[in-house]
Amino acid sequence: MPKTDLASEQSSAAPAVGCGPNAGGAFSQEDYHHPAAAWGAALSVGLVLLKQHELLDGTRVVFNMNHENGGYDCPGCAWPDDRHGLSMDICENGIKHATWELTKKQATPEFFASHTVSELSDWSDFALEDAGRLTEPLRYDAASDKYVPISWGDAFATVGRHLRSLDSPDRAAFYTSGRLCNEATFLYQLWARELGTNNLPDCSNMCHEASGRALQGALGTGKGTCDLVDWQKADCLIVIGVNAASNAPRMLTSLAEAYRRGASIVHVNPLVEAAATRTIVPHDILRMATFQSTRTSTLNVQPRIAGDMALMRGVAKHLFEAAGSDPKAIDREFIERYTAGFEAYRTLVEATPWAEIELQSGLPEAKIREMGEVYRKSRSTIIGWCLGVTQQQHAGDTIREIANVLLLRGNIGREGAGPSPIRGHSNVQGNRTCGVDHRPGEDWLARLDRACGITSPRAHGLDTVRVIPAMMRGEVKVFVGMGGNFALAAPDTDYTFPALRNCDLTVQVSTKLNRSHIVHGKDALILPCLGRTEKDHGNGGLQGITVEDSMSMVHLSFGMKEARSPHLRSEVAIIAGMAAASLPGTKTPWADYAGDYDRIRDKMAEAIDGFEDFNRRVRQPLGFRLKQPARELVFLTDTGKANFSAAPLADVAPAAGRLLLGTMRSHDQWNTTIYSDNDRYRGVKNLRTLVFMNADDMRDRGLAKYDLVDIKSFAKDGSTRNVRGYRALPYNLPRGSAMGYMPELNVLCPIGDYSPQSDQPLMKHVIVAISPSGAES
């Protein structure tokens, strides 16, 4: 594996610089004091359009992003579209994402004829994607160590031959990233289940699996109950573990509007991110022209990594104590009518001492009470959270504690209140809604079988943390990846790479070259697909696809530009081609579905609860919202009520000499796609191999800014993993906490260490020791 990409193989003497367009240049880090978004975002967008040679046409395309009439849905985050048809409902990172797709650069067959896979293995991840758009289907040729062209028909036949030769359909796995549209998602899971497996690992297994399971137990729904109108009505917003300015930049509009109407805004995060300070939203022309920023926070709370559950327990304890003098601190009428388990929870909270809450949260009692008072005085509160919560070991219990706090004051089922998980990729929630689920329920499968005339398997399939060991053991022989970059997104890089290479066949459906094409099976296909910005022509003309945002709105998306290559096919068409080739005698009309997405939507209307009359409803202005029974105070739980959880506080305080490490994205990055080695909002230039540390923790280890360090992680089974030659940077972090970038630090995340509550890898709960390079850890 290349030293330029996997820091675990860097020597301690290697310069800790990045691998982007300015690799090898001078690096620096200074605190960022400017508003989030503002002119920094405007300048960044202009430079991106200029670099991709799309200044004119690209501008036209990006200004049609997130438009209700004929526009396309942003391929970036899942934040909902503006309900009033805002003409500039766009953001810096969405434009980067779309423009990266619009590039005129192409990775043609001539490109692959000039480079062996061994040579490409030494390229940085930035350089691989910067080669441009894939243009034709390719197959790996072992004799030449190159990818060579293959016809679509032969590619589909290759997939079919491998799948038909398996002794069990469970020898295959079907992975999807959150980009896949609803129609393609439905066909993808239908293909897998008609074949006979529920091996459907997906990116949710690594991001919000904990949210779905915890909310299902608490409220009887795997989704949040809020919509964008609620965000506009709430008088208190509590945002936990979210870096909004980079991961959901359009959320800045909601935060600024909330501040201007007098709402309280509490950010809970080990780091005080740019979105927790102030902003100038670029579409606010007057404020941009006058440099008039708006605050986006009224209180910042910095718990230690994994200290969020103790913090929320402290808020609950404050409410119980305040109820002695303020009976309205606890909404007893709501609790008695709509909840179960309250008395057990109250007993638990009252028995939890403040000293333990302080220890586990890393916060003083006074700070926790300050947050509790903000919540007590609010009328309608939304609590939102993201991967800063879900990628912890005890994420399920933490989210249940968030639900407990909401239930204490009746902040469910009314305007401006409720739980609101902040999803990442643009259709990750739709993927799960439309059937990509390795452990589906009987009701879901029975309805699918009736609608589609198949008999789905009932046994649970493999998720992400289980499919990788299954590949390593040779039990999964075919891996199909729909979008994304599984090799880099998954944990334990040094384990995941050989697991993928152990497959008989890997298939990657992609728009651009990435590491997952270089880390391939014995036989391998790259199948190039249309991007979200490109027109999809069907039998009856231009076809639209649908997506579901993080607040359950489903709407249409139409590409704006002709395909970069005449050989590209839609994800729907590629899935249909592979399915037809692997299912001899199938009665599913795969080719008809590929030619007319309305037919897919008609079948989805039969198969999926909430999608009735799909084709008509999705053509309404702004689409339609999927029903949420919990929003109407209908709780589909085992008790028929909203359930309090009474989980004890876990011990998350790191042992002496240890730190808790969390991985995160830089600002100039989207998932595993790295646009540059800069991180504007954290003041970083030309550096990715770094670790942010508390200044006192650095002094304890004799470290100064930019010193080279080695990082060792400790797995539950006693094994260790290392990266060397990183730069230590002092940052405003709590004692015992450290942060660094993914995917580089995924190598430290042990494959066997995952949350027993969600089965998610512990990307933000890695036990590490950090020491000067070359010293014993």
Side-chain angles (χ1 to χ4, degrees), residues 162-173 195-197 199 475-478:
H162 275 277
L163 288 175
R164 292 195 307 273
S165 70
L166 298 175
D167 61 3
S168 166
D170 289 328
R171 298 284 186 251
L195 185 69
T197 185
N199 287 348
E475 296 168 4
V476 167
K477 298 179 179 297
V478 175

Side-chain angles (χ1 to χ4, degrees), residues 625-644:
R625 190 168 195 269
L626 292 170
K627 60 186 178 183
Q628 286 288 332
R631 184 179 174 88
E632 308 304 322
L633 298 175
V634 176
F635 301 108
L636 305 178
T637 64
D638 54 350
T639 64
K641 294 185 175 184
N643 291 322
F644 279 94

Side-chain angles (χ1 to χ4, degrees), residues 268-283:
V268 178
N269 200 319
L271 305 91
V272 178
E273 301 280 20
T277 57
R278 56 199 175 103
T279 188
I280 305 176
V281 180
H283 64 244

